[in-house]
């Protein structure tokens, strides 16, 4: 008889951000890392950013699935906040395979170009917080791998909060680990989904996930304790529609940011609003970028 898979979610701490935004200090959104495990083997989906966060994740994995072999880490998309920890995992599981789609691996390579890595990641998290040297995932030849006889499928969903994003679908337990295609109780990042067309693509990604008919949908950034229900899809969709509506009625980025804050006073990480609002109104443009 084959094993029954189960899944657990680790939610990282919020890493303090070095640069102030609007004169205020802030912290990065918590990051979800999902452990899917059978009788003796396990797969992790995504890692946090820093060495200390990832060491904490390692302790959690060892407590949650004691003695099980971590065979794979699957990376949902190229943003560094979902894979910089691979280097730390490697020290604990030397035979681990880090997997991602070719599109994600291409994005990872962009993230470590000096202008992006220094200009973004080291500016946010200076010193030795981010592990070095960074290890990239290997590009998968086919978008499916197996754990104890169960299929795990990488599903490409296009542009969501960035380009080339995927979700991991585990049909046998009707689970979707959604990366940043789906958000929990966090302000969503629109710094790259900065046009109406890209936001429509994000909505289509949500339709595609819904069509997989999951029972559980795990958001890439979530508040610890939130159940991973289908409402995550509905709330992510509503936030995109509200962002679009707010863009159309605002005449500059400050109005847009204020409107989003008014519509969503309780979501975590209001600082995420700012980059999205600024990206929707690039400098010198009187009207929103549509
Ligand atoms: Zn993210």
């Amino acid at each position: 008889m084959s094993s029954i898979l189960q899944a657990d979610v680790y939610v990282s701490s919020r890493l303090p951000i070095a640069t102030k935004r609007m004169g205020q200090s802030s912290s990065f959104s918590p990051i979800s890392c999902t452990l899917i495990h059978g009788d003796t083997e396990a797969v992790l989906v995504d890692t946090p950013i820093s060495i200390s966060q990832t060491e904490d994740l390692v302790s959690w994995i060892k407590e949650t699935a004691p003695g099980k072999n971590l065979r794979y880490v699957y990376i949902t998309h190229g943003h560094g906040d979902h894979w910089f920890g691979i280097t730390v995992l490697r020290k604990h599981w030397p035979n681990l395979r880090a997997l991602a789609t070719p599109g994600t691996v291409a994005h990872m390579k962009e993230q470590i170009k000096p202008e992006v890595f220094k200009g973004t990641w080291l500016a946010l998290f200076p010193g030795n917080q981010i592990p070095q040297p960074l290890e990239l995932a290997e590009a998968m030849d086919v978008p499916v791998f197996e754990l104890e006889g169960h299929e795990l499928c990488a599903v490409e969903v296009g542009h969501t909060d960035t380009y080339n994003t995927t979700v991991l679908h585990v049909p046998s337990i009707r689970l979707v680990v959604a990366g940043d295609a789906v958000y929990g109780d966090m302000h969503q990042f629109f710094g790259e989904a900065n046009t109406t067309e890209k936001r429509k693509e994000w909505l289509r990604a949500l339709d595609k996930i819904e069509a997989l008919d999951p029972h559980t949908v795990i958001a890439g950034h979530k508040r610890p304790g939130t159940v991973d229900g289908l409402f995550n899809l509905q709330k992510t969709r509503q936030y995109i529609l509200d962002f679009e509506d707010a863009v159309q009625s605002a005449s500059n980025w400050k109005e847009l940011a204020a409107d989003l804050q008014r519509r969503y006073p309780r979501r975590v990480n209001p600082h995420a609003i700012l980059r999205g609002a600024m990206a929707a109104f690039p400098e010198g443009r009187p009207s929103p970028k549509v």
Side-chain angles (χ1 to χ4, degrees):
M1 209 173 90
S2 67
S3 61
I4 298 172
L5 296 183
Q6 71 176 83
D8 289 73
V9 184
Y10 168 91
V11 180
S12 81
S13 62
R14 298 189 60 193
L15 206 57
I17 289 172
T19 47
K20 291 195 169 182
R21 289 175 181 169
M22 305 288 279
Q24 290 177 6
S25 55
S26 65
S27 301
F28 205 81
S29 289
I31 299 150
S32 308
C33 307
T34 302
L35 189 71
I36 302 160
H37 46 122
D39 290 339
T40 60
E41 298 181 335
V43 177
L44 179 70
V45 185
D46 289 348
T47 82
I49 303 166
S50 74
I51 296 172
S52 67
Q53 283 178 318
T54 313
E55 288 290 2
D56 190 60
L57 166 66
V58 167
S59 302
W60 175 87
I61 293 171
K62 290 180 176 177
E63 278 169 31
T64 304
K68 294 184 187 177
N69 176 28
L70 185 66
R71 284 188 66 194
Y72 304 102
V73 56
Y74 175 79
I75 306 299
T76 55
H77 65 289
H79 274 160
D81 55 307
H82 296 262
W83 64 269
F84 284 167
I86 294 173
T87 299
V88 177
L89 298 176
R90 169 74 51 217
K91 289 191 192 129
H92 294 268
W93 290 280
N95 299 321
L96 174 76
R97 285 181 68 193
L99 302 179
T101 59
T104 294
V105 174
H107 189 188
M108 288 171 143
K109 288 178 181 164
E110 287 293 318
Q111 292 274 285
I112 56 169
K113 284 187 174 166
E115 62 273 23
V116 179
F117 187 69
K118 285 197 184 125
T120 300
W121 295 107
L122 276 184
L124 294 173
F125 310 112
N128 299 318
Q129 297 183 77
I130 300 174
Q132 299 266 5
L134 286 165
E135 179 182 334
L136 302 180
E138 60 178 283
M140 300 160 75
D141 296 331
V142 289
V144 180
F145 58 104
E146 278 197 8
L147 189 81
E148 298 187 359
H150 299 267
E151 279 194 341
L152 292 87
C153 310
V155 180
E156 311 232 22
V157 293
H159 200 296
T160 57
D161 87 341
T162 185
Y163 64 97
N164 289 357
T165 67
T166 77
V167 303
L168 189 68
H169 180 215
V170 190
S172 67
I173 51 171
R174 300 182 76 168
L175 169 71
V176 168
V177 186
D180 286 356
V182 177
Y183 271 66
D185 230 354
M186 311 281 133
H187 285 286
Q188 295 173 208
F189 175 65
F190 286 93
E192 294 174 53
N194 60 345
T195 63
T196 297
E197 191 39 57
K198 285 180 189 163
R199 292 187 285 268
K200 280 186 182 161
E201 195 172 340
W202 194 344
L203 292 170
R204 286 195 293 274
L206 298 173
D207 294 341
K208 195 166 180 183
I209 294 168
E210 207 154 38
L212 297 171
D213 202 16
H215 283 177
T216 306
V217 176
I218 300 172
H221 299 281
K222 62 171 277 190
R223 200 161 38 70
T226 304
V227 168
D228 305 298
L230 298 183
F231 62 84
N232 285 312
L233 282 172
Q234 293 158 358
K235 294 189 83 162
T236 301
R237 182 181 286 121
Q238 190 60 50
Y239 193 105
I240 297 168
L241 294 171
D242 285 342
F243 188 94
E244 194 62 47
D245 188 53
V247 165
Q248 300 310 330
S249 56
S251 50
N252 58 61
W253 73 264
K254 284 187 179 163
E255 276 183 29
L256 173 56
D259 191 5
L260 290 166
Q261 183 65 57
R262 197 163 46 242
R263 291 174 194 239
Y264 288 93
R266 278 178 285 278
R267 282 214 183 190
V268 178
N269 198 10
H271 284 82
I273 292 175
L274 298 177
R275 276 191 63 197
M278 289 181 194
F281 286 92
E283 232 178 323
R285 285 179 68 111
S287 53
K289 203 173 169 192
V290 290

